[in-house]
DNA sequence: CTAACTTTTTGATTTAAATCAATTTAAAAC
DNA sequence: GTTTTAAATTGATTTAAATCAAAAAGTTAG
């Protein structure tokens, strides 16, 4: 219980809650450990509650008829997911799967709605995080509507620079949050094409690759490609 | 004043408000008439408030470097837009432009936030509408990540059947909410290709076209195309 | 350490769609 | 009703990327 509270307090959505309120939340949901690659919920299942990522990362995706995954978003620690399902629909509109061994907190729908009604700051936080997600979707739409894969990749990398890059002496370093097959799918292409596109960028000296990191050498060149 | 209140009451987000609350809102914003094709705000401008469409339709889009528009959404009467900007950022992340002669209600940011904090039902309504938008974005992502234009078009039409179709003796009738150049852009293609794709569907007897309406003759065939 | 499996890369070919160019049709302005 | 402007269609060509096939590199398991 106390441990759970500690974990939840780290989640941005709950950060403004008092100790008593946190206790209330803990009592109305439960912690679930999810093994890597396990499915948390399936598209079409009844949406019975919302989730908060306490540890690890969770991938939310839709499944195409050909079996391909369209990754909508990868949620990290402290982020909430599936609220939209609880508000807008009766069923989850996508799949959720743990990318790595993860822990999530599951909060029952009714209880969640009740809390939001009573705690305006929670609602505001939530509106803020949904707005953020909306922006990300919009930016992903932008990425994907570029016709050339090199442009999409460039735009993606530029986006990653904002979110998660490290400056080193050799350049801006990005650790890809997914493997290349997944990234290809995210960019609306296939792994073969992504592989060739990366190769071409490397040959032009725009990027370098090392371990699972990409080092940006020429940010300007990426900007040119992305527009 | 009274007239404005009448108009606002129709907007789903305000429908649960009392007369006094509506008055408060009316006092804290103002009605703006927007001529067709006029720009309401520009990408990068400071986000000073939210908008509610009272009459007409408003297109929200991003501008590519090549001048092409990526339409994110077209908002109709009663819908709110730009809340995300107010929550998540300092500036509007896109352009807003009236598709037809429209009237919008503009609500100042601070006032809007204050109202939400005080009125939980407003927050819930808003969360619901954001969730809906999120779903639409997700579905648009699905549409656009199909590789073939025929598939994207099919998926789009199937989606429109859900939202806005009329059954007639000749089939399911859809009135396109935008012109074909815009639709092409929405589907991530160009007007020439859309034109050819529509022609091909017509030749296969899957759809017919009349005025600005599309009549679906074979729903099953569309489903095949979309997956 | 070797085997089995998965992911990534490279090559050759095919294909859908973008582009370029021009015409037809429709809508708006005069 | 005629002119002007914009939208939609059609044709010919080019191009980027998907597909098919196989090898190489990297991971995991026994």
């Amino acid at each position: 219980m106390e441990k759970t509270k500690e974990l939840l307090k780290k989640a941005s959505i709950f950060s403004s809650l008092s100790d008593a309120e946190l206790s209330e939340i803990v009592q109305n949901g439960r912690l679930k450990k999810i093994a890597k690659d396990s499915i948390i919920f399936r598209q079409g299942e009844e949406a019975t509650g919302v989730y908060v990522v306490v540890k690890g990362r969770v991938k939310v995706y839709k499944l195409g008829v050909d079996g391909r995954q369209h990754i909508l978003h990868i949620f990290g620690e402290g982020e909430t997911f599936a609220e939209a399902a609880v508000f807008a629909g009766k069923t989850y509109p996508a799949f959720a799967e743990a990318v790595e061994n993860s822990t999530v907190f599951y909060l029952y729908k009714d209880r969640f709605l009740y809390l939001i009604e009573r705690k305006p700051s929670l609602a505001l936080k939530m509106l803020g995080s949904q707005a953020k997600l909306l922006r990300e979707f919009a930016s992903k739409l932008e990425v994907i509507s570029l016709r050339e894969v090199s442009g999409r990749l460039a735009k993606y990398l530029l986006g990653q620079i904002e979110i998660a890059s490290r400056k080193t002496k050799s350049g801006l370093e990005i650790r890809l949050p997914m493997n290349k097959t997944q990234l290809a799918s995210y960019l609306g292409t296939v792994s073969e094409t992504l592989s060739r596109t990366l190769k071409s960028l490397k040959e032009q000296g725009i990027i370098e690759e090392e371990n699972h990191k990409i080092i940006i050498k020429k940010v300007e060149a990426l900007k040119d490609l992305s527009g």
Side-chain angles (χ1 to χ4, degrees), chain A:
Chain A
M1 166 80 180
E2 281 309 314
K3 204 177 146 201
T4 308
K5 267 160 73 174
E6 281 310 310
L7 288 170
L8 286 187
K9 202 177 282 179
K10 284 184 200 153
S12 58
I13 183 178
F14 295 136
S15 59
S16 68
L17 296 185
S18 71
D19 207 65
E21 287 164 336
L22 267 178
S23 301
E24 202 185 339
I25 288 186
V26 170
Q27 277 160 17
N28 285 287
R30 62 200 174 90
L31 228 44
K32 284 186 181 182
K33 291 203 174 183
I34 315 284
K36 180 169 188 285
D37 297 333
S38 294
I39 290 188
I40 300 170
F41 55 73
R42 288 185 169 75
Q43 181 165 348
E45 275 183 18
E46 197 194 348
T48 53
V50 299
Y51 291 85
V52 182
V53 180
V54 170
K55 197 175 75 67
R57 281 180 312 144
V58 170
K59 160 175 87 173
V60 172
Y61 62 92
K62 293 216 174 204
L63 216 49
V65 187
D66 53 352
R68 294 162 66 109
Q69 297 181 357
H70 301 302
I71 297 175
L72 294 174
H73 195 72
I74 293 183
F75 292 92
E77 292 176 15
E79 293 187 303
T80 321
F81 62 99
E83 326 92 292
V86 165
F87 284 114
K90 298 151 211 81
T91 60
Y92 293 115
F95 290 81
E97 183 183 310
V99 176
E100 46 197 65
N101 287 326
S102 306
T103 310
V104 299
F105 184 76
Y106 172 71
L107 184 57
Y108 304 112
K109 180 175 174 173
D110 297 345
R111 211 61 211 165
F112 170 65
L113 291 176
Y114 176 72
L115 279 167
I116 285 198
E117 261 192 72
R118 291 232 324 232
K119 189 81 187 161
S121 74
L122 241 178
L124 276 177
K125 275 260 165 64
M126 195 138 259
L127 277 165
S129 75
Q130 285 220 40
K132 193 177 149 222
L133 200 54
L134 222 34
R135 286 206 169 198
E136 270 173 42
F137 272 37
S139 107
K140 189 180 168 189
L141 272 171
E142 261 194 298
V143 167
I144 240 178
S145 37
L146 289 173
R147 51 212 93 291
E148 286 174 31
V149 171
S150 58
R152 283 179 245 165
L153 176 58
K155 196 148 206 160
Y156 173 80
L157 291 175
L158 289 170
Q160 285 303 110
I161 288 178
E162 307 280 310
I163 308 170
S165 70
R166 246 165 31 105
K167 266 184 207 155
T168 68
K169 44 198 159 191
S170 48
L172 283 164
E173 207 175 279
I174 293 170
R175 208 179 64 227
L176 295 178
M178 43 188 145
N179 72 28
K180 289 185 183 170
T181 308
Q182 289 172 321
L183 178 59
S185 148
Y186 184 92
L187 295 176
T189 184
V190 293
S191 56
E192 293 98 316
T193 301
L194 176 60
S195 181
R196 284 183 249 263
T197 309
L198 282 167
K199 190 186 177 189
S200 150
L201 292 188
K202 276 181 262 178
E203 282 167 357
Q204 293 172 66
I206 298 173
I207 62 168
E208 281 175 11
E209 231 183 327
E210 211 174 273
N211 299 331
H212 288 232
K213 299 194 194 82
I214 287 184
I215 298 146
I216 314 282
K217 288 292 189 181
K218 300 179 184 168
V219 181
E220 287 308 318
L222 283 185
K223 286 186 186 162
D224 286 347
L225 282 173
S226 75

